[in-house]
Amino acid sequence: METTVFGMNEAQLTEFGMSWGLAGLILFIVFIVGNLAWKSKAGKTGTFALFLALTLGMVGFLAKLVIQHYLNIQ
């Protein structure tokens, strides 16, 4: 008998977490960086620098997903 959590098996739960959970986390990070730029009154250049520095790893991860989807690699 296969163990389920919330009616999903392990593969389904992992897929859900990697799509919706990660998307929610990315949106939350963008909100935090935007709030940091707003509260520090960083200006346009400072806001760009904050977003560039603090979200660069996230952009790389998203680029990897887009490239995999484009090349149809799973």
Side-chain angles (χ1 to χ4, degrees):
M1 183 170 178
E2 193 171 305
T3 305
T4 61
V5 177
F6 301 118
M8 296 185 283
N9 62 22
E10 182 184 357
Q12 292 169 328
L13 186 63
T14 301
E15 181 66 29
F16 179 78
M18 286 300 292
S19 57
W20 293 102
L22 197 57
L25 182 64
I26 288 171
L27 287 174
F28 186 59
I29 290 170
V30 168
F31 169 75
I32 290 171
V33 173
N35 193 25
L36 178 66
W38 180 67
K39 288 197 176 196
S40 67
K41 298 180 177 129
K44 289 181 183 179
T45 306
T47 300
F48 175 75
L50 280 170
F51 272 101
L52 181 66
L54 297 177
T55 61
L56 194 59
M58 179 179 61
V59 169
F61 183 78
L62 292 175
K64 180 188 76 122
L65 289 176
V66 169
I67 292 169
Q68 282 180 342
H69 180 71
Y70 179 72
L71 295 176
N72 202 13
I73 299 172
Q74 294 183 359

